[in-house]
Amino acid sequence: MDSNFTAGFIGLGLIGGSIAKAIKYFYPGATLLALSRTPETTDYALSEGIIDEALSSVGKDFSRCDYIFLCAPVESNVSYLEQLKPYLKESCILTDVGSTKTDIHEHVAALGLEEYFIGGHPMAGSEKTGLKNAKRHLIENAYYIITPSDKISKDKLEAYIHLVASLRAIPLVLDYREHDFVTAAISHLPHIIAAALVNLVHDTDSPNETMKTLAAGGFKDITRIASSSPEMWEQICTTNAGNIVRILDAYTDSLNTVRRQLSAKDSGAIRQLFADSREYRNSFSDCSSGPLKKAYMLYCDMVDEAGGIATLATILASSGISLKNIGIVHNREFEDAVLKVEFYDEESLKKSVELLRRYRYTVYER
Protein backbone atom coordinates (compact mmCIF):
# COMPACT_ATOMS: atom_id res chain seq x y z
CA MET A 1 0.00 0.00 0.00
CA ASP A 2 1.32 3.44 -0.98
CA SER A 3 1.91 5.39 2.23
CA ASN A 4 1.68 8.75 0.43
CA PHE A 5 -2.09 8.69 -0.02
CA THR A 6 -4.56 11.52 0.55
CA ALA A 7 -7.48 11.17 2.96
CA GLY A 8 -10.36 13.60 3.40
CA PHE A 9 -12.53 13.96 6.50
CA ILE A 10 -15.98 15.46 6.82
CA GLY A 11 -16.46 15.91 10.53
CA LEU A 12 -13.51 15.85 12.86
CA GLY A 13 -14.80 14.95 16.29
CA LEU A 14 -13.72 12.17 18.62
CA ILE A 15 -13.88 9.31 16.10
CA GLY A 16 -12.81 11.22 13.00
CA GLY A 17 -10.04 12.94 14.91
CA SER A 18 -8.79 9.65 16.37
CA ILE A 19 -8.69 8.02 12.93
CA ALA A 20 -6.88 11.05 11.53
CA LYS A 21 -4.33 10.90 14.35
CA ALA A 22 -3.79 7.19 13.77
CA ILE A 23 -3.26 7.71 10.04
CA LYS A 24 -0.75 10.50 10.72
CA TYR A 25 1.12 8.27 13.16
CA PHE A 26 1.32 5.15 11.00
CA TYR A 27 1.49 6.99 7.65
CA PRO A 28 3.45 10.21 8.20
CA GLY A 29 3.65 10.73 4.43
CA ALA A 30 -0.15 10.85 4.06
CA THR A 31 -1.91 14.14 3.31
CA LEU A 32 -5.05 14.80 5.35
CA LEU A 33 -7.80 17.27 4.42
CA ALA A 34 -10.74 18.09 6.66
CA LEU A 35 -14.05 19.93 6.62
CA SER A 36 -15.83 20.77 9.87
CA ARG A 37 -18.94 22.73 10.78
CA THR A 38 -16.82 24.85 13.10
CA PRO A 39 -13.67 26.50 11.72
CA GLU A 40 -12.20 26.42 15.24
CA THR A 41 -11.99 22.63 14.97
CA THR A 42 -9.97 22.60 11.77
CA ASP A 43 -7.84 25.50 13.01
CA TYR A 44 -6.97 23.42 16.06
CA ALA A 45 -6.30 20.35 13.89
CA LEU A 46 -3.92 22.38 11.72
CA SER A 47 -2.08 23.83 14.69
CA GLU A 48 -1.62 20.37 16.21
CA GLY A 49 -0.47 18.80 12.94
CA ILE A 50 -3.44 16.43 12.83
CA ILE A 51 -4.39 17.55 9.31
CA ASP A 52 -2.54 19.30 6.50
CA GLU A 53 -5.35 21.33 4.95
CA ALA A 54 -8.63 22.80 6.20
CA LEU A 55 -11.53 23.01 3.75
CA SER A 56 -14.48 25.37 3.95
CA SER A 57 -16.90 23.42 1.73
CA VAL A 58 -17.31 20.28 -0.36
CA GLY A 59 -15.54 20.95 -3.64
CA LYS A 60 -12.83 19.91 -6.07
CA ASP A 61 -10.24 19.42 -3.30
CA PHE A 62 -11.97 16.13 -2.50
CA SER A 63 -11.16 14.87 -6.02
CA ARG A 64 -7.57 14.38 -4.79
CA CYS A 65 -8.65 11.94 -2.08
CA ASP A 66 -7.90 8.23 -2.09
CA TYR A 67 -10.09 7.86 1.00
CA ILE A 68 -12.96 10.00 2.25
CA PHE A 69 -14.25 9.48 5.78
CA LEU A 70 -17.75 10.69 6.63
CA CYS A 71 -17.53 11.36 10.38
CA ALA A 72 -20.51 13.63 10.94
CA PRO A 73 -23.69 12.44 12.75
CA VAL A 74 -25.52 9.55 11.05
CA GLU A 75 -28.18 11.63 9.27
CA SER A 76 -25.68 14.33 8.28
CA ASN A 77 -23.40 11.81 6.58
CA VAL A 78 -26.18 10.93 4.14
CA SER A 79 -26.61 14.59 3.17
CA TYR A 80 -22.99 14.80 2.02
CA LEU A 81 -23.20 11.90 -0.46
CA GLU A 82 -24.79 13.87 -3.31
CA GLN A 83 -22.42 16.79 -2.75
CA LEU A 84 -19.38 14.52 -3.00
CA LYS A 85 -20.55 12.56 -6.03
CA PRO A 86 -19.04 14.89 -8.71
CA TYR A 87 -15.63 14.85 -7.00
CA LEU A 88 -15.01 11.13 -6.47
CA LYS A 89 -12.12 9.87 -8.57
CA GLU A 90 -12.37 6.31 -9.87
CA SER A 91 -9.98 4.82 -7.29
CA CYS A 92 -11.48 6.64 -4.30
CA ILE A 93 -12.85 4.70 -1.34
CA LEU A 94 -15.75 6.48 0.36
CA THR A 95 -16.54 5.34 3.89
CA ASP A 96 -18.32 6.42 7.07
CA VAL A 97 -18.10 5.74 10.80
CA GLY A 98 -21.81 5.62 11.63
CA SER A 99 -23.42 3.26 14.14
CA THR A 100 -26.13 2.20 11.69
CA LYS A 101 -25.48 1.13 8.12
CA THR A 102 -28.70 0.28 6.23
CA ASP A 103 -29.82 3.88 5.81
CA ILE A 104 -26.56 5.11 4.29
CA HIS A 105 -26.15 1.97 2.12
CA GLU A 106 -29.61 2.54 0.66
CA HIS A 107 -28.80 6.18 -0.12
CA VAL A 108 -25.49 5.13 -1.67
CA ALA A 109 -27.30 2.67 -3.94
CA ALA A 110 -29.92 5.25 -4.93
CA LEU A 111 -27.16 7.69 -5.94
CA GLY A 112 -25.17 5.08 -7.88
CA LEU A 113 -22.15 5.29 -5.56
CA GLU A 114 -21.80 1.60 -4.71
CA GLU A 115 -18.51 1.22 -6.60
CA TYR A 116 -16.97 3.72 -4.16
CA PHE A 117 -18.62 2.97 -0.83
CA ILE A 118 -17.51 0.71 2.01
CA GLY A 119 -19.36 1.26 5.28
CA GLY A 120 -17.35 1.41 8.48
CA HIS A 121 -18.17 1.29 12.18
CA PRO A 122 -15.24 1.52 14.62
CA MET A 123 -16.59 0.12 17.88
CA ALA A 124 -14.82 2.58 20.11
CA GLY A 125 -15.70 5.75 21.91
CA SER A 126 -15.49 7.76 25.09
CA GLU A 127 -17.69 9.84 27.34
CA LYS A 128 -15.42 12.72 26.37
CA THR A 129 -16.29 14.10 22.93
CA GLY A 130 -14.69 16.39 20.39
CA LEU A 131 -11.36 16.58 18.62
CA LYS A 132 -9.43 17.63 21.71
CA ASN A 133 -10.25 14.28 23.29
CA ALA A 134 -9.29 12.26 20.19
CA LYS A 135 -6.54 9.68 20.71
CA ARG A 136 -4.36 7.92 18.21
CA HIS A 137 -4.93 4.60 20.01
CA LEU A 138 -8.71 4.97 20.49
CA ILE A 139 -9.49 2.31 17.87
CA GLU A 140 -6.55 0.08 18.78
CA ASN A 141 -7.71 -3.50 19.49
CA ALA A 142 -11.30 -2.44 18.89
CA TYR A 143 -13.50 -4.22 16.38
CA TYR A 144 -13.89 -2.13 13.23
CA ILE A 145 -16.90 -3.39 11.31
CA ILE A 146 -16.59 -3.12 7.53
CA THR A 147 -19.75 -3.33 5.39
CA PRO A 148 -18.89 -3.39 1.68
CA SER A 149 -21.46 -2.30 -0.87
CA ASP A 150 -22.60 -4.84 -3.43
CA LYS A 151 -20.58 -3.34 -6.29
CA ILE A 152 -17.30 -2.57 -4.54
CA SER A 153 -14.25 -4.15 -6.15
CA LYS A 154 -12.20 -6.83 -4.41
CA ASP A 155 -9.10 -4.62 -4.67
CA LYS A 156 -10.79 -1.70 -2.90
CA LEU A 157 -12.17 -3.92 -0.18
CA GLU A 158 -8.77 -5.51 0.45
CA ALA A 159 -7.10 -2.08 0.49
CA TYR A 160 -9.57 -0.81 3.08
CA ILE A 161 -9.24 -3.92 5.26
CA HIS A 162 -5.46 -3.45 5.14
CA LEU A 163 -5.75 0.21 6.13
CA VAL A 164 -7.99 -0.58 9.10
CA ALA A 165 -5.70 -3.37 10.29
CA SER A 166 -2.63 -1.16 9.89
CA LEU A 167 -4.21 1.33 12.32
CA ARG A 168 -4.20 -1.54 14.87
CA ALA A 169 -7.97 -2.02 14.82
CA ILE A 170 -9.56 -5.44 14.24
CA PRO A 171 -11.41 -5.49 10.88
CA LEU A 172 -14.54 -7.61 10.69
CA VAL A 173 -16.42 -7.75 7.37
CA LEU A 174 -20.22 -8.04 7.64
CA ASP A 175 -23.20 -7.51 5.39
CA TYR A 176 -24.67 -4.16 6.38
CA ARG A 177 -28.04 -5.77 7.16
CA GLU A 178 -26.41 -8.23 9.54
CA HIS A 179 -24.47 -5.38 11.16
CA ASP A 180 -27.66 -3.48 11.96
CA PHE A 181 -29.39 -6.58 13.34
CA VAL A 182 -26.42 -7.48 15.51
CA THR A 183 -25.96 -3.97 16.90
CA ALA A 184 -29.71 -3.72 17.54
CA ALA A 185 -29.29 -6.63 19.97
CA ILE A 186 -25.96 -5.84 21.64
CA SER A 187 -25.99 -2.04 21.61
CA HIS A 188 -29.23 -0.33 20.63
CA LEU A 189 -31.67 -2.41 22.72
CA PRO A 190 -29.43 -2.30 25.83
CA HIS A 191 -29.47 1.51 25.65
CA ILE A 192 -33.27 1.49 25.39
CA ILE A 193 -33.55 -0.97 28.29
CA ALA A 194 -31.20 1.11 30.45
CA ALA A 195 -33.15 4.28 29.72
CA ALA A 196 -36.47 2.54 30.37
CA LEU A 197 -35.23 1.08 33.69
CA VAL A 198 -34.04 4.47 34.88
CA ASN A 199 -37.36 6.06 33.94
CA LEU A 200 -39.23 3.19 35.62
CA VAL A 201 -37.45 3.86 38.91
CA HIS A 202 -38.11 7.57 38.53
CA ASP A 203 -41.82 7.00 37.89
CA THR A 204 -42.39 4.39 40.64
CA ASP A 205 -40.15 5.77 43.38
CA SER A 206 -41.60 6.97 46.66
CA PRO A 207 -41.78 10.70 47.46
CA ASN A 208 -38.70 10.39 49.68
CA GLU A 209 -36.77 8.80 46.74
CA THR A 210 -35.75 5.59 48.51
CA MET A 211 -35.11 3.81 45.20
CA LYS A 212 -32.86 6.59 43.98
CA THR A 213 -30.91 6.54 47.25
CA LEU A 214 -30.27 2.80 47.08
CA ALA A 215 -29.58 2.75 43.32
CA ALA A 216 -25.99 3.90 43.85
CA GLY A 217 -24.76 0.29 43.75
CA GLY A 218 -25.24 -2.24 40.95
CA PHE A 219 -28.30 -0.52 39.49
CA LYS A 220 -26.27 2.56 38.66
CA ASP A 221 -23.61 0.41 36.99
CA ILE A 222 -25.98 -1.58 34.77
CA THR A 223 -27.80 1.58 33.69
CA ARG A 224 -24.63 3.63 33.07
CA ILE A 225 -25.30 3.80 29.33
CA ALA A 226 -28.59 5.61 29.98
CA SER A 227 -26.45 8.75 30.32
CA SER A 228 -25.62 8.70 26.60
CA SER A 229 -26.44 11.56 24.23
CA PRO A 230 -30.21 11.84 23.56
CA GLU A 231 -29.57 13.45 20.15
CA MET A 232 -27.24 10.66 19.02
CA TRP A 233 -29.54 7.89 20.18
CA GLU A 234 -32.56 9.49 18.58
CA GLN A 235 -30.76 9.23 15.22
CA ILE A 236 -29.51 5.70 15.85
CA CYS A 237 -32.94 4.42 16.86
CA THR A 238 -34.81 6.05 13.98
CA THR A 239 -32.34 4.75 11.37
CA ASN A 240 -32.46 1.19 12.75
CA ALA A 241 -36.04 1.06 14.03
CA GLY A 242 -37.04 -2.11 12.17
CA ASN A 243 -34.25 -4.24 13.64
CA ILE A 244 -34.70 -2.78 17.11
CA VAL A 245 -38.43 -3.58 17.07
CA ARG A 246 -37.65 -7.14 15.96
CA ILE A 247 -35.18 -7.64 18.81
CA LEU A 248 -37.45 -5.80 21.25
CA ASP A 249 -40.30 -8.20 20.42
CA ALA A 250 -38.02 -11.17 21.14
CA TYR A 251 -36.94 -9.57 24.42
CA THR A 252 -40.55 -8.88 25.39
CA ASP A 253 -41.37 -12.54 24.72
CA SER A 254 -38.50 -13.63 26.96
CA LEU A 255 -39.68 -11.31 29.74
CA ASN A 256 -43.20 -12.72 29.46
CA THR A 257 -41.74 -16.21 29.81
CA VAL A 258 -39.91 -15.15 32.97
CA ARG A 259 -43.10 -13.53 34.25
CA ARG A 260 -44.98 -16.82 33.85
CA GLN A 261 -42.19 -18.70 35.61
CA LEU A 262 -42.25 -16.24 38.51
CA SER A 263 -46.04 -16.42 38.79
CA ALA A 264 -45.81 -20.22 38.92
CA LYS A 265 -42.86 -20.03 41.34
CA ASP A 266 -40.97 -22.34 38.98
CA SER A 267 -37.69 -22.28 40.89
CA GLY A 268 -35.96 -24.69 38.49
CA ALA A 269 -36.64 -22.49 35.47
CA ILE A 270 -35.60 -19.33 37.32
CA ARG A 271 -32.36 -20.97 38.46
CA GLN A 272 -31.69 -22.11 34.89
CA LEU A 273 -32.24 -18.55 33.62
CA PHE A 274 -29.40 -17.26 35.79
CA ALA A 275 -27.20 -20.32 35.24
CA ASP A 276 -27.44 -20.02 31.45
CA SER A 277 -26.83 -16.27 31.44
CA ARG A 278 -23.88 -16.59 33.80
CA GLU A 279 -22.23 -19.31 31.71
CA TYR A 280 -22.72 -17.45 28.45
CA ARG A 281 -21.62 -14.07 29.80
CA ASN A 282 -18.47 -15.58 31.35
CA SER A 283 -17.51 -16.84 27.90
CA PHE A 284 -17.28 -13.30 26.49
CA SER A 285 -13.81 -12.13 25.57
CA ASP A 286 -12.23 -9.11 27.25
CA CYS A 287 -9.58 -8.78 24.55
CA SER A 288 -11.40 -6.42 22.20
CA SER A 289 -13.78 -3.50 22.43
CA GLY A 290 -17.43 -3.89 21.55
CA PRO A 291 -20.11 -1.28 20.80
CA LEU A 292 -20.83 -0.41 24.43
CA LYS A 293 -18.35 1.82 26.18
CA LYS A 294 -16.35 -0.11 28.73
CA ALA A 295 -16.12 1.15 32.31
CA TYR A 296 -12.62 1.21 33.77
CA MET A 297 -12.95 0.90 37.52
CA LEU A 298 -11.54 -0.76 40.60
CA TYR A 299 -12.81 -1.34 44.11
CA CYS A 300 -10.57 -0.73 47.10
CA ASP A 301 -11.02 -2.33 50.51
CA MET A 302 -10.14 0.35 53.05
CA VAL A 303 -11.37 1.79 56.32
CA ASP A 304 -13.83 4.64 55.84
CA GLU A 305 -12.04 7.28 57.87
CA ALA A 306 -11.15 10.96 57.55
CA GLY A 307 -8.44 11.55 54.98
CA GLY A 308 -8.60 8.05 53.51
CA ILE A 309 -9.95 9.07 50.12
CA ALA A 310 -7.66 12.11 49.98
CA THR A 311 -4.59 9.94 50.63
CA LEU A 312 -5.50 7.49 47.88
CA ALA A 313 -6.30 10.28 45.43
CA THR A 314 -2.96 11.95 46.20
CA ILE A 315 -1.07 8.72 45.50
CA LEU A 316 -2.73 8.44 42.10
CA ALA A 317 -2.43 12.14 41.25
CA SER A 318 1.29 12.13 42.07
CA SER A 319 1.74 9.58 39.30
CA GLY A 320 -0.22 11.68 36.80
CA ILE A 321 -3.34 9.53 36.87
CA SER A 322 -6.64 11.34 36.26
CA LEU A 323 -9.75 10.10 38.03
CA LYS A 324 -13.14 10.10 36.38
CA ASN A 325 -15.03 9.42 39.59
CA ILE A 326 -14.36 8.30 43.17
CA GLY A 327 -16.66 7.62 46.07
CA ILE A 328 -17.83 5.43 48.91
CA VAL A 329 -19.98 2.42 47.99
CA HIS A 330 -22.90 2.61 50.42
CA ASN A 331 -24.79 -0.32 48.93
CA ARG A 332 -22.32 -3.24 49.11
CA GLU A 333 -24.67 -6.14 48.63
CA PHE A 334 -22.75 -7.31 45.57
CA GLU A 335 -19.47 -5.41 45.99
CA ASP A 336 -16.26 -6.42 47.75
CA ALA A 337 -14.97 -3.10 48.97
CA VAL A 338 -15.81 0.29 50.38
CA LEU A 339 -14.36 2.58 47.71
CA LYS A 340 -15.05 2.67 43.96
CA VAL A 341 -12.61 4.48 41.67
CA GLU A 342 -13.34 5.01 37.98
CA PHE A 343 -10.84 6.02 35.29
CA TYR A 344 -10.99 7.33 31.73
CA ASP A 345 -8.97 4.56 30.09
CA GLU A 346 -7.59 1.06 30.58
CA GLU A 347 -3.99 2.24 30.85
CA SER A 348 -4.82 4.41 33.87
CA LEU A 349 -6.71 1.53 35.49
CA LYS A 350 -3.83 -0.93 35.12
CA LYS A 351 -1.29 1.59 36.38
CA SER A 352 -3.48 2.39 39.40
CA VAL A 353 -3.99 -1.25 40.36
CA GLU A 354 -0.24 -1.82 40.33
CA LEU A 355 0.46 1.39 42.24
CA LEU A 356 -2.14 0.88 44.97
CA ARG A 357 -1.11 -2.71 45.58
CA ARG A 358 2.44 -1.47 46.00
CA TYR A 359 1.08 0.74 48.78
CA ARG A 360 -0.56 -2.31 50.39
CA TYR A 361 -4.13 -1.50 49.41
CA THR A 362 -6.45 -4.44 48.78
CA VAL A 363 -7.72 -3.86 45.26
CA TYR A 364 -10.40 -5.68 43.29
CA GLU A 365 -10.59 -5.16 39.53
CA ARG A 366 -14.03 -5.00 37.99
Side-chain angles (χ1 to χ4, degrees), residues 134-153:
K135 300 176 181 178
R136 184 263 299 175
H137 58 273
L138 184 71
I139 64 173
E140 189 172 301
N141 294 322
Y143 283 117
Y144 198 120
I145 309 301
I146 295 172
T147 59
S149 60
D150 293 337
K151 296 181 181 178
I152 201 72
S153 70

Side-chain angles (χ1 to χ4, degrees), residues 109-251:
L111 290 168
L113 298 176
E114 290 179 289
E115 63 188 85
Y116 303 99
F117 188 74
I118 303 174
H121 179 196
M123 291 190 163
S126 169
E127 285 82 359
K128 292 185 174 182
T129 60
L131 178 60
K132 292 186 178 180
N133 294 303
K135 300 176 181 178
R136 184 263 299 175
H137 58 273
L138 184 71
I139 64 173
E140 189 172 301
N141 294 322
Y143 283 117
Y144 198 120
I145 309 301
I146 295 172
T147 59
S149 60
D150 293 337
K151 296 181 181 178
I152 201 72
S153 70
K154 181 180 178 181
D155 288 343
K156 283 188 176 182
L157 179 57
E158 289 179 351
Y160 190 58
I161 292 172
H162 175 76
L163 176 65
V164 167
S166 71
L167 302 181
R168 302 295 187 266
I170 305 171
L172 179 62
V173 179
L174 295 177
D175 179 88
Y176 67 87
R177 303 168 192 86
E178 181 182 8
H179 167 277
D180 282 3
F181 183 67
V182 168
T183 53
I186 64 172
S187 176
H188 306 164
L189 181 61
H191 277 83
I192 292 172
I193 292 171
L197 278 173
V198 170
N199 290 338
L200 176 67
V201 166
H202 173 270
D203 295 341
T204 58
D205 204 356
S206 59
N208 60 355
E209 296 190 323
T210 305
M211 290 185 184
K212 181 179 180 181
T213 300
L214 299 179
F219 183 85
K220 187 174 181 181
D221 287 343
I222 66 170
T223 57
R224 174 175 53 89
I225 55 177
S227 296
S228 300
S229 164
E231 293 77 18
M232 179 181 75
W233 279 98
E234 176 191 5
Q235 290 195 17
I236 289 173
C237 288
T238 54
T239 55
N240 200 28
N243 283 307
I244 295 173
V245 168
R246 181 179 168 191
I247 290 293
L248 183 58
D249 286 344
Y251 180 62

Side-chain angles (χ1 to χ4, degrees), residues 9 11-22 32 34-36 38-51 128-136 138:
F9 288 81
L12 206 61
L14 178 72
I15 299 298
S18 295
I19 294 173
K21 283 188 171 184
L32 272 57
L35 168 65
S36 175
T38 55
E40 293 81 10
T41 298
T42 46
D43 288 345
Y44 173 80
L46 282 171
S47 67
E48 293 294 313
I50 301 170
I51 63 172
K128 292 185 174 182
T129 60
L131 178 60
K132 292 186 178 180
N133 294 303
K135 300 176 181 178
R136 184 263 299 175
L138 184 71

Side-chain angles (χ1 to χ4, degrees), residues 187-326:
S187 176
H188 306 164
L189 181 61
H191 277 83
I192 292 172
I193 292 171
L197 278 173
V198 170
N199 290 338
L200 176 67
V201 166
H202 173 270
D203 295 341
T204 58
D205 204 356
S206 59
N208 60 355
E209 296 190 323
T210 305
M211 290 185 184
K212 181 179 180 181
T213 300
L214 299 179
F219 183 85
K220 187 174 181 181
D221 287 343
I222 66 170
T223 57
R224 174 175 53 89
I225 55 177
S227 296
S228 300
S229 164
E231 293 77 18
M232 179 181 75
W233 279 98
E234 176 191 5
Q235 290 195 17
I236 289 173
C237 288
T238 54
T239 55
N240 200 28
N243 283 307
I244 295 173
V245 168
R246 181 179 168 191
I247 290 293
L248 183 58
D249 286 344
Y251 180 62
T252 302
D253 289 343
S254 71
L255 288 179
N256 285 328
T257 298
V258 174
R259 187 183 188 283
R260 289 193 295 271
Q261 292 166 349
L262 287 169
S263 296
K265 296 184 179 179
D266 187 344
S267 59
I270 294 168
R271 178 184 177 87
Q272 196 62 46
L273 166 71
F274 289 103
D276 290 346
S277 64
R278 176 180 179 175
E279 180 181 0
Y280 186 55
R281 187 186 185 281
N282 288 344
S283 71
F284 292 175
S285 172
D286 287 328
C287 297
S288 303
S289 299
L292 300 184
K293 296 181 181 68
K294 187 174 180 179
Y296 303 103
M297 63 179 67
L298 60 80
Y299 292 86
C300 188
D301 198 6
M302 59 185 290
V303 177
D304 184 6
E305 59 185 8
I309 295 179
T311 300
L312 183 143
T314 300
I315 290 171
L316 298 178
S318 64
S319 295
I321 298 172
S322 297
L323 304 183
K324 181 179 179 182
N325 202 359
I326 185 170

Side-chain angles (χ1 to χ4, degrees), residues 9-10 15-16 19 69-72 74 77 95-101 104 117-122 144 160:
F9 288 81
I10 295 182
I15 299 298
I19 294 173
F69 291 85
L70 297 172
C71 304
V74 174
N77 284 336
T95 187
D96 76 322
V97 297
S99 300
T100 59
K101 307 263 61 97
I104 194 165
F117 188 74
I118 303 174
H121 179 196
Y144 198 120
Y160 190 58

